Amino acid sequence: QVQLRESGGGLVQAGDSLRLSCAVPVQSFNTYTAGWFRQVPGKEREFVAAIHWIGATYYGNSVKDRFTISRDNAKNSVYLQMNNLAPEDTAVYSCAAARLKSVQQFQTGGVDHWGQGTQVTVSS
């Protein structure tokens, strides 16, 4: 099984920024849509952002004005720049990858590979 590896989480204050990174150890990463979900214990998993291998992006409504997703196909990596963080952003953030899927399919359907998640905590 392929397991993605997230990094960059931490504890910050409201208004601060964080940049999450995810290593995607797959062959032909340039055929994968990749992105991020987040989850709080006891609540449903929430879609955060996704990026197609040619660059099309999609964001959840709660983060659209503050977060930016990007990727580096040469490094098999995907990133999430999170600005103006708020306490409501506190969650475990997990990266995911899906081969030959649009960002819309990624958001609503299954994904092929997951990471273990990285904790982001935003104090009030």
Side-chain angles (χ1 to χ4, degrees), residues 22-58:
C22 177
V24 185
V26 301
Q27 193 174 85
S28 300
F29 179 56
N30 62 353
T31 66
Y32 283 77
T33 286
W36 299 85
F37 296 81
R38 67 186 184 185
Q39 189 166 26
V40 177
K43 297 185 178 180
E44 295 181 349
R45 182 184 296 114
E46 178 186 9
F47 171 76
V48 176
I51 183 167
H52 190 268
W53 62 88
I54 63 170
T57 59
Y58 191 85

Short mmCIF file of all heavy atoms in Angstrom, two decimals, residues 22-58:
data_model
loop_
_atom_site.label_atom_id
_atom_site.label_comp_id
_atom_site.label_asym_id
_atom_site.label_seq_id
_atom_site.Cartn_x
_atom_site.Cartn_y
_atom_site.Cartn_z
N CYS A 22 3.20 17.43 1.61
CA CYS A 22 2.83 16.03 1.50
C CYS A 22 3.69 15.37 0.43
O CYS A 22 3.72 15.83 -0.72
CB CYS A 22 1.35 15.88 1.16
SG CYS A 22 0.81 14.18 0.92
N ALA A 23 4.36 14.30 0.81
CA ALA A 23 5.12 13.49 -0.14
C ALA A 23 4.24 12.36 -0.64
O ALA A 23 3.62 11.65 0.14
CB ALA A 23 6.37 12.94 0.52
N VAL A 24 4.19 12.21 -1.96
CA VAL A 24 3.34 11.21 -2.60
C VAL A 24 4.24 10.22 -3.34
O VAL A 24 4.63 10.47 -4.49
CB VAL A 24 2.35 11.86 -3.57
CG1 VAL A 24 1.38 10.82 -4.13
CG2 VAL A 24 1.58 12.98 -2.88
N PRO A 25 4.58 9.10 -2.73
CA PRO A 25 5.56 8.18 -3.31
C PRO A 25 4.94 7.21 -4.32
O PRO A 25 4.93 6.00 -4.11
CB PRO A 25 6.12 7.45 -2.08
CG PRO A 25 4.95 7.39 -1.15
CD PRO A 25 4.19 8.68 -1.36
N VAL A 26 4.44 7.74 -5.41
CA VAL A 26 3.83 6.93 -6.46
C VAL A 26 4.61 7.09 -7.75
O VAL A 26 5.35 8.05 -7.95
CB VAL A 26 2.36 7.31 -6.70
CG1 VAL A 26 1.53 7.14 -5.43
CG2 VAL A 26 2.25 8.73 -7.22
N GLN A 27 4.42 6.13 -8.63
CA GLN A 27 4.96 6.23 -9.96
C GLN A 27 4.05 7.11 -10.80
O GLN A 27 2.83 7.04 -10.69
CB GLN A 27 5.09 4.83 -10.57
CG GLN A 27 5.92 4.78 -11.83
CD GLN A 27 6.12 3.35 -12.30
OE1 GLN A 27 5.28 2.80 -12.99
NE2 GLN A 27 7.22 2.75 -11.88
N SER A 28 4.62 7.95 -11.63
CA SER A 28 3.87 8.83 -12.51
C SER A 28 2.92 9.74 -11.74
O SER A 28 1.71 9.79 -11.99
CB SER A 28 3.10 8.01 -13.55
OG SER A 28 3.96 7.24 -14.35
N PHE A 29 3.47 10.49 -10.80
CA PHE A 29 2.68 11.42 -10.00
C PHE A 29 1.99 12.45 -10.88
O PHE A 29 0.95 13.00 -10.50
CB PHE A 29 3.59 12.10 -8.98
CG PHE A 29 2.89 13.12 -8.11
CD1 PHE A 29 1.78 12.77 -7.36
CD2 PHE A 29 3.35 14.42 -8.05
CE1 PHE A 29 1.15 13.70 -6.55
CE2 PHE A 29 2.72 15.36 -7.24
CZ PHE A 29 1.62 15.00 -6.49
N ASN A 30 2.52 12.70 -12.07
CA ASN A 30 1.90 13.65 -12.99
C ASN A 30 0.64 13.13 -13.65
O ASN A 30 0.11 13.77 -14.57
CB ASN A 30 2.91 14.12 -14.05
CG ASN A 30 3.42 12.99 -14.93
OD1 ASN A 30 3.13 11.82 -14.68
ND2 ASN A 30 4.17 13.35 -15.96
N THR A 31 0.12 11.99 -13.19
CA THR A 31 -1.19 11.49 -13.61
C THR A 31 -2.18 11.47 -12.43
O THR A 31 -3.28 10.93 -12.58
CB THR A 31 -1.10 10.08 -14.21
OG1 THR A 31 -0.69 9.15 -13.20
CG2 THR A 31 -0.12 10.06 -15.37
N TYR A 32 -1.82 12.06 -11.31
CA TYR A 32 -2.65 12.03 -10.11
C TYR A 32 -3.20 13.41 -9.76
O TYR A 32 -2.47 14.41 -9.80
CB TYR A 32 -1.83 11.57 -8.90
CG TYR A 32 -1.56 10.09 -8.82
CD1 TYR A 32 -0.61 9.49 -9.62
CD2 TYR A 32 -2.28 9.30 -7.93
CE1 TYR A 32 -0.36 8.13 -9.54
CE2 TYR A 32 -2.03 7.94 -7.84
CZ TYR A 32 -1.08 7.37 -8.64
OH TYR A 32 -0.83 6.01 -8.55
N THR A 33 -4.46 13.45 -9.40
CA THR A 33 -4.98 14.57 -8.65
C THR A 33 -4.63 14.36 -7.17
O THR A 33 -4.68 13.23 -6.68
CB THR A 33 -6.50 14.69 -8.82
OG1 THR A 33 -6.78 15.19 -10.14
CG2 THR A 33 -7.12 15.63 -7.79
N ALA A 34 -4.26 15.41 -6.49
CA ALA A 34 -3.88 15.32 -5.09
C ALA A 34 -4.51 16.47 -4.32
O ALA A 34 -4.89 17.49 -4.90
CB ALA A 34 -2.37 15.34 -4.93
N GLY A 35 -4.63 16.29 -3.01
CA GLY A 35 -5.22 17.36 -2.23
C GLY A 35 -5.29 17.04 -0.75
O GLY A 35 -4.58 16.15 -0.25
N TRP A 36 -6.17 17.78 -0.08
CA TRP A 36 -6.23 17.76 1.37
C TRP A 36 -7.66 17.67 1.87
O TRP A 36 -8.57 18.29 1.32
CB TRP A 36 -5.59 19.03 1.95
CG TRP A 36 -4.14 19.18 1.61
CD1 TRP A 36 -3.62 19.73 0.49
CD2 TRP A 36 -3.04 18.75 2.40
NE1 TRP A 36 -2.25 19.68 0.53
CE2 TRP A 36 -1.87 19.09 1.69
CE3 TRP A 36 -2.92 18.13 3.64
CZ2 TRP A 36 -0.59 18.82 2.19
CZ3 TRP A 36 -1.65 17.86 4.14
CH2 TRP A 36 -0.51 18.21 3.41
N PHE A 37 -7.84 16.91 2.94
CA PHE A 37 -9.05 16.86 3.73
C PHE A 37 -8.69 17.18 5.17
O PHE A 37 -7.53 17.10 5.56
CB PHE A 37 -9.71 15.48 3.66
CG PHE A 37 -10.19 15.09 2.29
CD1 PHE A 37 -9.32 14.58 1.34
CD2 PHE A 37 -11.53 15.21 1.96
CE1 PHE A 37 -9.77 14.21 0.09
CE2 PHE A 37 -11.99 14.84 0.71
CZ PHE A 37 -11.11 14.35 -0.23
N ARG A 38 -9.70 17.50 5.96
CA ARG A 38 -9.48 17.69 7.39
C ARG A 38 -10.63 17.09 8.17
O ARG A 38 -11.74 16.95 7.66
CB ARG A 38 -9.29 19.17 7.74
CG ARG A 38 -10.53 20.03 7.55
CD ARG A 38 -10.18 21.50 7.78
NE ARG A 38 -11.35 22.37 7.70
CZ ARG A 38 -11.29 23.69 7.76
NH1 ARG A 38 -10.12 24.32 7.90
NH2 ARG A 38 -12.42 24.40 7.67
N GLN A 39 -10.35 16.75 9.44
CA GLN A 39 -11.36 16.11 10.25
C GLN A 39 -11.14 16.41 11.72
O GLN A 39 -10.00 16.40 12.20
CB GLN A 39 -11.36 14.60 10.03
CG GLN A 39 -12.53 13.87 10.68
CD GLN A 39 -12.68 12.46 10.17
OE1 GLN A 39 -11.72 11.83 9.74
NE2 GLN A 39 -13.90 11.95 10.22
N VAL A 40 -12.23 16.68 12.41
CA VAL A 40 -12.26 16.84 13.86
C VAL A 40 -12.93 15.61 14.44
O VAL A 40 -13.93 15.13 13.88
CB VAL A 40 -13.02 18.12 14.26
CG1 VAL A 40 -13.11 18.24 15.77
CG2 VAL A 40 -12.35 19.34 13.65
N PRO A 41 -12.43 15.07 15.55
CA PRO A 41 -13.07 13.89 16.14
C PRO A 41 -14.56 14.11 16.37
O PRO A 41 -14.98 15.14 16.91
CB PRO A 41 -12.33 13.71 17.46
CG PRO A 41 -10.98 14.27 17.18
CD PRO A 41 -11.21 15.43 16.28
N GLY A 42 -15.36 13.13 15.95
CA GLY A 42 -16.79 13.22 16.10
C GLY A 42 -17.52 13.92 14.97
O GLY A 42 -18.75 13.97 14.98
N LYS A 43 -16.78 14.48 14.01
CA LYS A 43 -17.39 15.16 12.89
C LYS A 43 -16.98 14.50 11.58
O LYS A 43 -16.01 13.75 11.52
CB LYS A 43 -17.00 16.64 12.87
CG LYS A 43 -17.48 17.42 14.08
CD LYS A 43 -17.15 18.89 13.95
CE LYS A 43 -17.66 19.68 15.13
NZ LYS A 43 -17.35 21.13 15.01
N GLU A 44 -17.73 14.80 10.53
CA GLU A 44 -17.45 14.24 9.22
C GLU A 44 -16.17 14.84 8.64
O GLU A 44 -15.81 15.98 8.92
CB GLU A 44 -18.62 14.51 8.27
CG GLU A 44 -19.90 13.81 8.65
CD GLU A 44 -21.02 14.08 7.66
OE1 GLU A 44 -20.84 14.98 6.80
OE2 GLU A 44 -22.05 13.41 7.73
N ARG A 45 -15.51 14.05 7.82
CA ARG A 45 -14.35 14.55 7.10
C ARG A 45 -14.77 15.65 6.14
O ARG A 45 -15.80 15.54 5.46
CB ARG A 45 -13.68 13.41 6.34
CG ARG A 45 -12.42 13.82 5.59
CD ARG A 45 -11.84 12.68 4.78
NE ARG A 45 -11.39 11.58 5.62
CZ ARG A 45 -11.95 10.38 5.64
NH1 ARG A 45 -12.98 10.10 4.85
NH2 ARG A 45 -11.46 9.44 6.45
N GLU A 46 -13.99 16.71 6.07
CA GLU A 46 -14.30 17.87 5.26
C GLU A 46 -13.26 18.04 4.15
O GLU A 46 -12.06 18.00 4.40
CB GLU A 46 -14.34 19.13 6.12
CG GLU A 46 -14.61 20.42 5.35
CD GLU A 46 -14.51 21.66 6.22
OE1 GLU A 46 -14.06 21.54 7.38
OE2 GLU A 46 -14.89 22.75 5.75
N PHE A 47 -13.74 18.25 2.94
CA PHE A 47 -12.85 18.54 1.83
C PHE A 47 -12.25 19.93 1.99
O PHE A 47 -12.95 20.90 2.29
CB PHE A 47 -13.61 18.45 0.50
CG PHE A 47 -12.82 18.96 -0.67
CD1 PHE A 47 -11.81 18.19 -1.22
CD2 PHE A 47 -13.10 20.19 -1.22
CE1 PHE A 47 -11.08 18.66 -2.30
CE2 PHE A 47 -12.38 20.66 -2.30
CZ PHE A 47 -11.36 19.89 -2.83
N VAL A 48 -10.95 20.04 1.75
CA VAL A 48 -10.25 21.32 1.89
C VAL A 48 -9.83 21.87 0.53
O VAL A 48 -10.18 22.99 0.17
CB VAL A 48 -9.02 21.18 2.81
CG1 VAL A 48 -8.25 22.50 2.86
CG2 VAL A 48 -9.46 20.75 4.20
N ALA A 49 -9.06 21.09 -0.22
CA ALA A 49 -8.53 21.59 -1.49
C ALA A 49 -8.01 20.43 -2.32
O ALA A 49 -7.62 19.39 -1.79
CB ALA A 49 -7.41 22.61 -1.27
N ALA A 50 -8.01 20.61 -3.65
CA ALA A 50 -7.45 19.61 -4.55
C ALA A 50 -6.83 20.30 -5.75
O ALA A 50 -7.23 21.42 -6.12
CB ALA A 50 -8.53 18.62 -5.01
N ILE A 51 -5.87 19.63 -6.36
CA ILE A 51 -5.21 20.15 -7.55
C ILE A 51 -5.00 19.03 -8.55
O ILE A 51 -4.48 17.96 -8.22
CB ILE A 51 -3.89 20.86 -7.20
CG1 ILE A 51 -3.25 21.47 -8.45
CG2 ILE A 51 -2.93 19.93 -6.46
CD1 ILE A 51 -2.12 22.45 -8.13
N HIS A 52 -5.45 19.27 -9.76
CA HIS A 52 -5.28 18.34 -10.87
C HIS A 52 -3.82 18.34 -11.32
O HIS A 52 -3.08 19.30 -11.05
CB HIS A 52 -6.20 18.77 -12.01
CG HIS A 52 -6.33 17.80 -13.13
ND1 HIS A 52 -5.51 17.84 -14.24
CD2 HIS A 52 -7.18 16.77 -13.33
CE1 HIS A 52 -5.86 16.88 -15.08
NE2 HIS A 52 -6.87 16.23 -14.54
N TRP A 53 -3.41 17.30 -12.03
CA TRP A 53 -2.02 17.22 -12.43
C TRP A 53 -1.62 18.30 -13.43
O TRP A 53 -0.43 18.58 -13.57
CB TRP A 53 -1.66 15.82 -12.96
CG TRP A 53 -2.40 15.38 -14.19
CD1 TRP A 53 -2.04 15.60 -15.49
CD2 TRP A 53 -3.60 14.60 -14.23
NE1 TRP A 53 -2.94 15.02 -16.33
CE2 TRP A 53 -3.91 14.40 -15.59
CE3 TRP A 53 -4.43 14.07 -13.26
CZ2 TRP A 53 -5.04 13.68 -16.00
CZ3 TRP A 53 -5.55 13.35 -13.66
CH2 TRP A 53 -5.84 13.15 -15.01
N ILE A 54 -2.59 18.89 -14.13
CA ILE A 54 -2.27 19.98 -15.04
C ILE A 54 -2.53 21.35 -14.42
O ILE A 54 -2.34 22.37 -15.08
CB ILE A 54 -3.02 19.87 -16.37
CG1 ILE A 54 -4.52 19.97 -16.18
CG2 ILE A 54 -2.64 18.58 -17.09
CD1 ILE A 54 -5.29 20.09 -17.48
N GLY A 55 -2.97 21.39 -13.15
CA GLY A 55 -3.03 22.64 -12.43
C GLY A 55 -4.38 23.17 -12.03
O GLY A 55 -4.44 24.14 -11.27
N ALA A 56 -5.48 22.58 -12.50
CA ALA A 56 -6.80 23.04 -12.09
C ALA A 56 -6.97 22.82 -10.59
O ALA A 56 -6.59 21.78 -10.06
CB ALA A 56 -7.88 22.30 -12.86
N THR A 57 -7.57 23.78 -9.91
CA THR A 57 -7.72 23.71 -8.46
C THR A 57 -9.17 23.88 -8.03
O THR A 57 -10.00 24.42 -8.76
CB THR A 57 -6.88 24.80 -7.76
OG1 THR A 57 -7.29 26.09 -8.22
CG2 THR A 57 -5.40 24.60 -8.06
N TYR A 58 -9.46 23.41 -6.82
CA TYR A 58 -10.78 23.53 -6.24
C TYR A 58 -10.63 23.59 -4.74
O TYR A 58 -9.79 22.88 -4.16
CB TYR A 58 -11.66 22.33 -6.63
CG TYR A 58 -13.12 22.51 -6.29
CD1 TYR A 58 -13.97 23.18 -7.15
CD2 TYR A 58 -13.64 22.00 -5.11
CE1 TYR A 58 -15.31 23.34 -6.85
CE2 TYR A 58 -14.97 22.17 -4.79
CZ TYR A 58 -15.81 22.84 -5.66
OH TYR A 58 -17.13 23.00 -5.35
#
